[in-house]
Amino acid sequence: MKLLEGKIAIITGATRGIGRGIAIAFAEQGANVAFTYSSSVQAADELVSELVALGVQAKGYQSNAAEYAAAEQLVDEVLKDFGNIDILINNAGITKDNLLMRMSEQDFDAVIEVNLKSVFNMTKAVQRTMLKNRKGSIINMSSVVGVKGNAGQANYAASKAGVIGFSKSVALELGSRNIRCNVIAPGFIETEMTGKLAEDVVKGWTDAIPLKRGGKPEDIANACVFLASEMSAYITGQVINVDGGMLT
């Protein structure tokens, strides 16, 4: 039996990188997948086709989780289309890096809205269904930067540290209803975004990692499968660093 057979998952920001890897891993483990995307209809359609080919139900929704009303509407549509929600993966995120002295208020606010406020919006929107079911798994994507900070990323670090504090509070609030909330903090993961970095920059990162390589989206996806499944039934309120030992 597959680990997520028949479960229904919402994944935000799933058309590329880590989100896409999670969607595919979930479908491979039998989960039906509802996912959001911001702009690329073609990428969303391609992902739906790939997921359906794995034998599950899948649908993409163009939605901005940073907007409270849009998150509420999305959850209503998913419930109408899929009938239930078992798992929420808050993965959508952006960066607008700059030194603090050069960082604009708009760039600070935008990163907080997408990376942190969206987690509040989506968690609040699915909470009602999970409370009624008396079960659920919420997995929020932070970053090693949210754990240790990083020069030039004050906005990103603040948003990702906020995700950790929020998740621990949700775990305490909802644990008695068998709703678990955990955090994954990825390290240096090789995606389309990191593919644009100069070779010497990438080498500088990987040399500092004990495993001497960057991670793959599948590394994050596998941790998500574990936290979404019954294999982690007694784990909540935790931060799992998937970073090749970077923070060791």
Side-chain angles (χ1 to χ4, degrees):
M1 172 126 168
K2 294 177 177 177
L3 288 173
L4 303 176
E5 193 74 60
K7 301 273 190 189
I8 294 154
I10 298 180
I11 305 168
T12 64
T15 52
R16 61 193 177 91
I18 289 171
R20 195 174 196 282
I22 296 169
I24 291 167
F26 271 43
E28 287 173 343
Q29 290 295 337
N32 300 307
V33 177
F35 67 88
T36 70
Y37 63 97
S38 58
S39 56
S40 179
V41 176
Q42 183 183 344
D45 289 345
E46 287 171 1
L47 180 57
V48 167
S49 298
E50 197 168 339
L51 299 177
V52 169
L54 291 167
V56 301
Q57 183 184 352
K59 185 173 179 179
Y61 301 80
Q62 192 162 12
S63 179
N64 180 8
E67 292 179 5
Y68 186 83
E72 292 273 327
Q73 184 184 348
L74 168 69
V75 168
D76 287 344
E77 288 179 15
V78 171
L79 286 170
K80 190 173 67 182
D81 294 337
F82 289 79
N84 201 5
I85 298 165
D86 301 293
I87 303 154
L88 168 64
I89 311 276
N90 282 309
N91 168 72
I94 60 169
T95 57
K96 289 185 179 290
D97 299 348
N98 222 328
L99 294 174
L100 184 59
M101 65 175 69
R102 297 196 189 102
M103 188 178 290
S104 68
E105 181 185 8
Q106 290 83 356
D107 282 356
F108 185 87
D109 288 348
V111 170
I112 296 294
E113 287 280 311
V114 175
N115 295 5
L116 180 56
K117 176 88 180 329
S118 67
V119 176
F120 163 79
N121 293 344
M122 289 299 301
T123 302
K124 195 162 168 61
V126 303
Q127 176 183 263
R128 195 163 48 246
T129 299
M130 290 184 174
L131 284 170
K132 191 174 71 178
N133 293 341
R134 296 189 73 86
K135 65 175 181 175
S137 178
I138 300 165
I139 302 164
N140 296 326
M141 210 58 63
S142 180
S143 166
V144 293
V145 173
V147 178
K148 73 179 286 291
N150 196 31
Q153 289 193 303
N155 50 2
Y156 186 74
S159 70
K160 293 302 189 178
V163 166
I164 292 172
F166 176 85
S167 303
K168 286 179 176 287
S169 300
V170 169
L172 291 169
E173 283 188 29
L174 302 182
S176 63
R177 303 298 182 91
N178 197 33
I179 299 167
R180 300 181 296 111
C181 185
N182 291 291
V183 177
I184 292 177
F188 183 76
I189 307 299
E190 294 171 357
T191 64
E192 297 95 321
M193 207 187 308
T194 59
K196 295 171 185 169
L197 296 173
E199 200 174 311
D200 60 322
V201 173
V202 173
K203 188 175 187 308
W205 275 96
T206 55
D207 282 351
I209 296 168
L211 289 183
K212 301 301 176 192
R213 62 177 179 85
K216 307 285 186 198
E218 307 90 81
D219 295 316
I220 307 301
N222 289 337
C224 285
V225 168
F226 170 68
L227 289 175
S229 75
E230 292 306 309
M231 291 181 75
S232 60
Y234 201 52
I235 298 174
T236 193
Q238 302 306 304
V239 181
I240 297 180
N241 298 335
V242 184
D243 64 0
M246 186 190 287
L247 294 190
T248 304

